[in-house]
Amino acid sequence: MPQARYKQLVDRLAADIRQGRLKPGTVLPTHRQLAAEEGISLATATRTYAELQAMGLVAGEVGRGTFVREPLPLGQDAEMHVASGDLVDLTFNYPALPAQTEALRTALRQLASAGELDSLLRYQPHGGRPHERAVVAEHLKSRGLAVSADTVLIVSGAIHGLATVAMSLLQPGDVLAVDALSYPGIKVVAEQCRLELVAIPAAGMGPDLDALEALCRSRRVRAVYCMPTLHNPLGWVMPPSQRHALIDLARRHGLLLVEDGTYAFLEKRAPPALAALAPDITVHVSSLSKSVAAGLRFGFVSAPPALIPRINRAIRATVWNTPSLVTSIACQWLQDGTVARLERDKRRDASARQAIAGRVLSQFRTVGHPASYFIWMPMPQEVRADAVAMRLREENILVSTSQPYAMTSQPPHAIRLALGSVSHASLQQALEVVARVVGNLGY
Ligand SMILES: Cc1ncc(COP(=O)(O)O)c(C=O)c1O
């Protein structure tokens, strides 16, 4: 059996297992039966099962045969396991600089002594108190967005912003166009809001607009979710011409643009945001999760004025208001320059981490932005990303495969390395193990 066809069989069985068509515990055909069913040699059948075993999808037991395993927590699903052991987490980015704990201590002390604590005990307006919305508007204006306090809403992180936008502005069954590789959270939001995600392939530094145009001609597309600046996971920054072409397409087909700027602070010289170029059709969602701290759960949405009351109701239905304990601290940091300083320091930190990765992984093909907190590492044809992730897990290193990022049922074989959550020294060591494991697996 040619190499490519044998790998196709592995991928087909892997997809059946991941998508639940083959349930955990299912006993698979014997090696001999598989060989007969697929018209392959016994040796190839054995090799197929060995590969699926290395990917953590099946287990072979003497006397019981080969059966489908309970899914192992890998990649993004492993989040809760990180805290429990000595795992080096290269799946999630929660970049924090050493002085940040002290800054939080100081902010809490200041709040305790000088803040108007009484108001923290009460319900607040859903999208934030007017003076806080004004502070966020100033922050977004410094990014070139044409906003005012009335057109921004405070939410509990960007994921909450995306969820409230989807709940309030889209209907179940609506088609939402997304990049074929995109932020995993959008899949969860779409699933909860019963949206249909349709993947748009990439073309250069952005989505393939011809493919989007063709989609809009054949289907009623309601909105596009995109990350023009610092795309997660590919790190692209869409050039101005492509941004204008996307806006033009959106206007012609009546699309809402949902722009995610969560990582945008890492590229200081980015072209204007979609929300700056086309504020009437763009909802911009962002947060302080990467620039300040993910645990803060502070995010914001800016939208055309007519859409604000609808998003406001979704905030009411979900959290009522983002806790004012959080908004007080975040707005203080936005006003006193702490956020601007952290953004600058994190740009430097991310660049230093990219430099480490560039050195350690120099013999491999990687995709990314020179100042971003992640790297995409496509695997060659014969290497299965799940097998790499499994081997690394045995070495206490968690990496994500492309699966959570893939918006199609055919994830490419690639791993994504989050560089931001461990010390520089641990990162260097972990990446050296990644280089060894990937190298040994046949790079
Ligand atoms: C592109 C993108 N958008 C949104 C989020 C969610 O961020 P938050 O922690 O603010 O909810 C993330 C988190 O990693 C992200 O990568």
Side-chain angles (χ1 to χ4, degrees), residues 24-28 57-61 64-70:
T26 304
V27 178
L28 295 170
L57 297 173
V58 306
E61 273 181 23
R64 245 192 99 190
T66 306
F67 60 93
V68 177
R69 283 180 74 152
E70 282 296 333

Side-chain angles (χ1 to χ4, degrees), residues 238-393:
M238 275 171 73
S241 56
Q242 210 170 354
R243 292 177 192 233
H244 285 289
L246 174 59
I247 290 167
D248 180 50
L249 191 158
R251 290 201 191 285
R252 276 186 286 110
H253 292 281
L255 310 180
L256 178 73
L257 296 171
V258 181
E259 175 177 51
D260 184 335
T262 304
Y263 276 107
F265 74 97
L266 288 169
E267 174 49 280
K268 203 145 176 13
R269 295 172 310 267
L274 301 180
L277 298 169
D280 54 319
I281 55 165
T282 307
V283 175
H284 183 93
V285 179
S286 190
S287 76
L288 298 188
S289 286
K290 309 298 172 178
S291 54
V292 179
L296 209 52
R297 308 312 303 139
F298 184 88
F300 28 89
V301 175
S302 80
L307 304 183
I308 290 289
R310 289 161 65 183
I311 306 171
N312 214 24
R313 278 183 76 73
I315 299 173
R316 175 184 174 170
T318 46
V319 295
W320 188 274
N321 66 274
T322 297
S324 35
L325 189 58
V326 166
T327 56
S328 299
I329 293 172
C331 289
Q332 175 63 35
W333 283 347
L334 281 166
Q335 274 183 301
D336 69 12
T338 303
V339 173
R341 184 173 47 74
L342 284 170
E343 286 182 350
R344 190 197 59 218
D345 292 350
K346 288 193 182 180
R347 275 193 288 275
R348 279 198 204 122
D349 180 52
S351 303
R353 288 166 186 271
Q354 284 285 340
I356 295 173
R359 278 195 303 277
V360 179
L361 303 175
S362 59
Q363 76 268 41
F364 305 108
R365 187 164 95 78
T366 55
V367 179
H369 183 280
S372 99
Y373 272 117
F374 42 81
I375 277 188
W376 187 254
M377 207 172 153
M379 295 290 125
Q381 262 290 316
E382 58 284 6
V383 176
R384 288 302 167 259
D386 307 66
V388 173
M390 281 296 291
R391 280 285 305 111
L392 288 169
R393 198 167 189 284

Side-chain angles (χ1 to χ4, degrees), residues 8-64:
Q8 274 168 15
L9 175 58
V10 172
D11 286 345
R12 173 154 58 78
L13 289 170
D16 284 347
I17 294 170
R18 287 203 201 95
Q19 286 157 24
R21 288 188 290 275
L22 287 171
K23 304 248 172 306
T26 304
V27 178
L28 295 170
T30 62
H31 296 205
R32 224 168 266 290
Q33 282 165 341
L34 183 71
E37 280 169 20
E38 298 291 337
I40 54 178
S41 70
L42 185 58
T44 305
T46 303
R47 209 167 144 209
T48 302
Y49 281 149
E51 185 108 35
L52 289 168
Q53 191 155 351
M55 291 162 79
L57 297 173
V58 306
E61 273 181 23
V62 180
R64 245 192 99 190

